[in-house]
């Protein structure tokens, strides 16, 4: 039982799909292709409803194809018995030596002579006119002219030169002998026809109303003249043009199925009431489920970027009166109201090009019916299959469509959509209310959007069914006459299933988030050990947040850049299309991750600046007082006393340190200039367009697609990183080695100044710069200084290092608890008192004797002696040892040995103390600069502006760091801030 049900279900799905497939794609035929090979004796005509070739109703003996190929007609020597167009025609042979009349409905004898070869009458002399009937419609002989009332079945022709049979009326009502409805049958008259009783739809204003988007409606003159007659001619007599006229009027109503806006009696409801058995009725509505239609894989073409391919759309064009105007390619701007050169207009159909073109048009121009004729279009995709050209019906989604409840269903989810086949660009006829007047309102295609989607998991460029989304706007004549400009647009977008990307994105974000959490926990543990934190407290939690923000920012940056670079490279370099630019939710998630990365990096830099502006630092002056020279003749009471140590060396070193606080590893101006130069001047920005063209240099005549935020991010980060890496290598291996190394010069300056620098970045961790002079003193004159330097050059004195015969002058420190306690014991009370004194001086009260400022000087002396004694191993129960860090310790940036009771000094590479400077945190700052640059560009889409603002931001960061560092330097070293230049 279950198997039978499954088999039955399969058959339903199969035949359902076959039904749709047969209606949406078919062999491409033109009128010139209509010639049957299977039945050569039967002529064929081109059916404009099905866009295919059909057999005439009689053999070639009776009928032939018309010159335009769109209908069947009687052969010469045959007259019409029935003629409703298409295959609805019947011919009958005339008698011997008879030809068909001019109107084709009668057989006539040829008094001028019969031509057997052509079965026609011989022509008249140049000065003669061939007359078949008299003016009154009776048969006449040549050269007989009389003025008589038209005979039954005839009426005056257009120019009034003769009486002719009223074929339109008589073809419908053969029982009439006049060309007008009888007086008692006026209700059966419409559109110049007299119909049988009961054929016409009831006459009411609903039939002629054109609803407007702003509310209200207009009574259409064209609808009044044609809607009822077109309905009867299509439904009863199967007239092809009438059926298409009725379909066009339904299109002008935006396919309203009978909502409260139009009522239940209008063109669309009349068209829907015509049975499907009427084979000339055009199927302009697509009744199948929209999702099944769009996500159909029936298009076999594989689209590629290399070689470049065009999407070959064709339109079948129809006039308002239902006449078939032929096929046209959409190239050259057929469907685009904006004018431009052909290269740019045709770029919309280059596969893979995300196209967007908008413009403003004078509303008044829409009333020009020559420039904007009202035509209707059925859209098809042309492709090749088995060397046969075929057409695939392209569905249209009209946003102005309203369902029976008057809801705009096509603006909602796809399951509610009503897709159609036919549309127009400009309607300047339907709202004409009286004859020989202009339209009161013009409706126009305000927005046309082509949606293309790659098939799921495709690797060979297969696509689902493309579809157009059209939104119509309207403008009234009053607004047009006031020179109103209206905006119109045409755009093309490409999408694909983002499920795999979303899955990979979530995995990557989850992994890096977990790793960041673990790394932040590890860095917090290292910090707590260096800060002497035994338990988890508020400070520990805050630092965990800051470390987590830094780690997440870096990891998110890597993920963001990896995704952006992947899309850029593989999108531009693919041959068969398998990848399009991310959109929708995927693009939004990428942007959110970018925003988080930027925000967390800002928090990271703020934390870095705050921590650097809070380090404890002290300058140890190793200089000792020198006794004054004794002069026997001098009565100076100071003779023989010690000369005080000069503070100017300390001020000098402090100023040099203050300058170091604002320098960067790389040159900021060159960095920004080079990045902007490569992106905007060289033209790397051109690579970021949403099209397959990955060229740096593009012609001005080529269409330049809009740029992608993702691609701009990828190329900006890549260029910024490359320039930064080149700068980093240059400064590290060339400039600092052969020209100037400011950090190493500062260490040399400390040695020449006889001053060491004691830095505690955490309570129990810091850096030490050993600047003790090998000559014992530095307060000397120029000659002695020169002699000291010469001795060092000639290796006639000891080494500068802390240890004997060592050049190691810089160290990382693990500080014992006792040293930290002693430091705080000396510094904290004095720092608090100094702050109050500074406040008094700022208020102009000055310094009083015995004030805390005097005590700060004493504290400076005490601190200098204490730290100097510690370095000299002269403090009881407080000592240190010097070792080298292990490989694991260096990699993990931590210390495994306990320094609770004994300090540890670790030899380093000579630059470790730059971690408390901007100079030593270049990677963090570069990432901040990159993210800031990309964020400004994301907002402004301008690399030059991004460069300017980023430079200002980097200068602001430096200014904040220098200002904060200067205040901290004065506060912690007890050096008066007024001496810091």
């Amino acid at each position: 039982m279950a198997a039978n049900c499954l088999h039955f279900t399969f058959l339903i799905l199969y035949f359902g799909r076959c039904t749709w497939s047969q209606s949406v794609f078919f062999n491409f035929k033109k009128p010139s292709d209509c010639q049957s090979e299977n039945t050569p004796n039967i002529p064929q005509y081109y059916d404009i409803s099905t866009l295919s070739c059909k057999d005439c109703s009689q053999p070639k003996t009776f009928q032939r194809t018309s010159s335009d190929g769109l209908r069947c007609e009687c052969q010469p020597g045959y007259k019409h018995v029935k003629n409703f167009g298409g295959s609805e025609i019947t011919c009958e042979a005339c008698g011997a030596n008879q030809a068909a009349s001019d109107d084709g409905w009668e057989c006539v004898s040829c008094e001028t002579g019969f031509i057997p070869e052509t079965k026609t009458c011989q022509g008249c002399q140049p000065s003669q006119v061939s007359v078949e009937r008299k003016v009154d419609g009776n048969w006449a002989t040549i050269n007989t002219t009389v003025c008589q009332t038209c005979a039954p079945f005839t009426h005056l022709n257009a120019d009034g030169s003769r009486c002719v049979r009223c074929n339109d009326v008589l073809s419908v009502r053969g029982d009439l002998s006049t060309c007008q409805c009888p007086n008692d049958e006026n209700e059966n008259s419409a559109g110049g026809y007299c119909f049988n009783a009961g054929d016409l739809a009831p006459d009411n204003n609903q039939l002629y109303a054109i609803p407007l988007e702003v509310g209200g409606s207009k009574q259409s003159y064209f609808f009044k003249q044609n809607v009822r007659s077109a309905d009867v001619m299509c439904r009863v007599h199967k007239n092809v043009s009438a059926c298409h006229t009725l379909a066009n009027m339904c299109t002008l109503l935006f396919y309203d199925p009978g909502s409260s806006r139009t009522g239940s009696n209008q063109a669309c409801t009349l068209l829907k009431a015509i049975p499907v058995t009427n084979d000339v009725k055009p199927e302009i509505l697509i009744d199948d489920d929209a999702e099944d239609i769009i996500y159909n894989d029936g298009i076999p073409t594989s689209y590629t970027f290399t070689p470049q391919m065009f999407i070959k759309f064709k339109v079948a064009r129809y006039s308002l009166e239902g006449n078939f105007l032929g096929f046209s390619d959409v190239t050259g701007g057929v469907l685009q109201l904006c004018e431009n050169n052909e290269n740019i207009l045709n770029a919309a159909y280059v596969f893979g090009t995300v196209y967007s073109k908008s413009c403003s048009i004078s509303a008044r121009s829409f009333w020009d019916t020559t420039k904007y004729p009202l035509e209707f279009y059925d859209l098809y995709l042309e492709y090749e299959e088995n060397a046969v050209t075929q057409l695939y019906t392209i569905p249209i989604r009209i946003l102005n469509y309203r369902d029976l409840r008057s809801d705009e269903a096509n603006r909602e989810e796809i399951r509610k959509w009503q897709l159609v086949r036919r549309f127009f660009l400009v309607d300047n006829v339907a709202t004409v209310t009286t004859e020989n007047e202009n339209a009161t309102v013009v409706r126009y295609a305000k927005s046309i959007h082509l949606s293309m989607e790659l098939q799921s998991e495709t690797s060979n460029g297969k696509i689902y069914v493309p579809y157009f989304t059209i939104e119509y706007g309207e403008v009234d004549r009053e607004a047009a006459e006031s020179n109103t400009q209206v905006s119109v647009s045409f755009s093309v977008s490409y999408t694909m299933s983002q499920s795999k990307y979303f899955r990979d994105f979530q995995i990557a974000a989850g992994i890096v988030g977990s790793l960041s959490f673990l790394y932040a926990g590890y860095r917090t543990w290292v910090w707590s050990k260096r800060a002497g934190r035994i338990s988890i407290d508020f400070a520990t939690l805050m630092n965990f947040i800051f470390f987590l923000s830094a780690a997440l920012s870096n990891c998110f940056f890597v993920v963001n850049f990896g995704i952006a670079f992947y899309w850029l490279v593989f999108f531009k370099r693919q041959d068969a299309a398998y990848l399009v630019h991310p959109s929708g939710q995927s693009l939004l998630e990428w942007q959110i991750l970018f925003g988080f990365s930027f925000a967390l990096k800002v928090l990271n830099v703020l934390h870095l600046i705050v921590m650097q502006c809070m380090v404890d630092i002290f300058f140890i002056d190793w200089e000792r007082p020198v006794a004054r020279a004794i002069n026997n003749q001098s009565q100076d009471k100071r003779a023989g006393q010690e000369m005080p140590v000069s503070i100017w060396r300390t001020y000098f070193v402090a100023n040099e340190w203050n300058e170091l606080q604002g320098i960067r590893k790389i040159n900021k101006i060159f960095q920004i200039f080079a990045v902007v130069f490569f992106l905007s001047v060289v033209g790397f920005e051109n690579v970021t367009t949403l099209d397959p063209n990955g060229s740096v240099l593009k012609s001005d005549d080529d269409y330049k697609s809009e740029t992608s935020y993702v691609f701009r991010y990828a190329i900006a980060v890549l260029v910024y990183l490359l320039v930064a890496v080149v700068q980093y290598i240059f400064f590290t291996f060339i400039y600092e080695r052969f020209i100037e190394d400011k950090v190493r010069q500062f260490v040399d300056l400390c040695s020449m100044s006889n001053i060491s620098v004691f830095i505690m970045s955490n309570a129990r961790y810091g850096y030490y710069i050993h600047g003790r002079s090998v000559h014992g003193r530095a307060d000397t004159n120029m000659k002695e200084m020169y002699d000291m330097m010469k001795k060092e050059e000639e290796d006639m004195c000891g080494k500068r290092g802390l240890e004997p015969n060592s050049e190691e002058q810089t160290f990382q420190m693990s500080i014992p608890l006792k040293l930290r306690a002693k430091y705080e014991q000396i510094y904290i009370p004095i720092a608090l008192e100094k702050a109050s004194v500074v406040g008094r001086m700022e208020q102009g009260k000055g310094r009083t004797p015995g004030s805390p400022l005097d005590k700060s000087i004493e504290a400076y002396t005490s601190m200098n002696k204490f730290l100097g004694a510690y370095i000299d191993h002269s403090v009881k129960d407080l000592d240190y040892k010097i070792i080298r860090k292990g490989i694991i310790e260096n990699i993990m940036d931590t210390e495994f040995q306990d320094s609770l009771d004994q300090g540890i000094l670790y030899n380093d590479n000579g630059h470790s103390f730059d971690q408390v400077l901007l100079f030593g945190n270049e990677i963090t700052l570069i990432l901040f600069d990159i993210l800031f640059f990309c964020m400004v560009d994301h907002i402004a889409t301008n690399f030059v502006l991004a460069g300017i603002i980023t430079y200002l931001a980097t200068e602001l960061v430096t200014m904040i760091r220098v200002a904060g560092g200067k205040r901290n330097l004065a506060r912690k070293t007890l050096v008066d801030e007024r001496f810091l230049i």
Side-chain angles (χ1 to χ4, degrees), residues 52-302:
S52 61
C53 298
K54 287 191 174 180
D55 292 339
C56 293
S57 59
Q58 292 177 295
K60 286 185 176 181
T61 306
F62 291 83
Q63 295 181 13
R64 65 182 180 182
T65 306
S66 62
S67 58
D68 59 6
L70 302 182
R71 64 187 63 83
C72 300
E73 61 184 20
C74 293
Q75 290 280 10
Y78 290 78
K79 69 174 184 176
H80 295 304
V81 176
K82 179 179 74 171
N83 185 10
F84 289 104
S87 61
E88 297 296 317
I89 177 174
T90 304
C91 301
E92 181 179 284
C94 293
N97 296 324
Q98 284 190 321
S101 61
D102 290 343
D103 58 14
W105 285 91
E106 300 289 342
C107 293
V108 295
S109 298
C110 300
E111 292 187 7
T112 58
F114 180 75
I115 305 175
E117 292 80 11
T118 60
K119 295 184 179 180
T120 58
C121 296
Q122 290 184 357
C124 299
Q125 297 297 322
S127 59
Q128 296 177 336
V129 59
S130 176
V131 177
E132 297 175 346
R133 296 181 182 274
K134 298 178 182 179
V135 176
D136 62 356
N138 289 314
W139 297 108
T141 59
I142 299 176
N143 298 327
T144 302
T145 304
V146 293
C147 293
Q148 295 180 357
T149 302
C150 289
F153 310 110
T154 65
H155 65 172
L156 288 175
N157 63 358
D159 58 5
S161 61
R162 59 182 298 176
C163 291
V164 294
R165 189 177 189 274
C166 45
N167 300 321
D168 291 342
V169 174
L170 297 179
S171 63
V172 175
R173 290 284 301 274
D175 60 313
L176 297 178
S177 61
T178 65
C179 294
Q180 295 181 349
C181 274
N183 293 333
D184 59 348
E185 292 190 32
N186 286 334
E187 70 276 6
N188 296 328
S189 176
Y193 293 92
C194 185
F195 296 103
N196 293 315
D199 284 348
L200 281 174
D203 186 9
N204 64 69
N205 288 335
Q206 275 189 356
L207 280 170
Y208 319 131
I210 303 293
L212 303 179
E213 295 297 313
V214 295
S217 62
K218 297 291 182 181
Q219 290 291 304
S220 173
Y221 177 77
F222 181 83
F223 276 44
K224 287 180 181 178
Q225 295 297 312
N226 295 281
V227 65
R228 298 170 71 214
S229 59
D231 168 49
V232 178
M233 292 299 293
C234 177
R235 173 167 44 84
V236 178
H237 301 289
K238 296 185 179 182
N239 182 270
V240 176
S241 296
C243 288
H244 281 274
T245 301
L246 189 61
N248 293 340
M249 287 188 277
C250 179
T251 304
L252 291 171
L253 295 176
F254 300 138
Y255 299 91
D256 194 301
S259 69
S260 59
R261 298 176 74 245
T262 62
S264 59
N265 187 22
Q266 35 94 333
C268 291
T269 56
L270 293 177
L271 183 67
K272 186 176 181 180
I274 297 175
V276 295
T277 54
N278 188 329
D279 58 355
V280 298
K281 170 188 173 182
E283 294 296 334
I284 57 173
L285 281 169
I286 300 176
D287 295 327
D288 298 79
D289 183 76
E291 193 166 5
D292 293 338
I293 296 168
I294 293 173
Y295 292 102
N296 187 291
D297 57 2
I299 300 175
T301 304
S302 293

Side-chain angles (χ1 to χ4, degrees), residues 9 126 140 228 230 274 300 407 425 450 510 513 565 602 679 727 737 764 793 806 816 884 922 925:
T9 303
R228 298 170 71 214
I274 297 175
D407 294 335
L425 292 181
L450 168 60
F565 189 71
V602 171
L679 291 175
Q727 277 211 84
R737 182 181 295 268
R764 295 188 54 204
E793 290 177 359
S806 171
R884 289 193 175 275
E922 192 60 48
L925 296 173

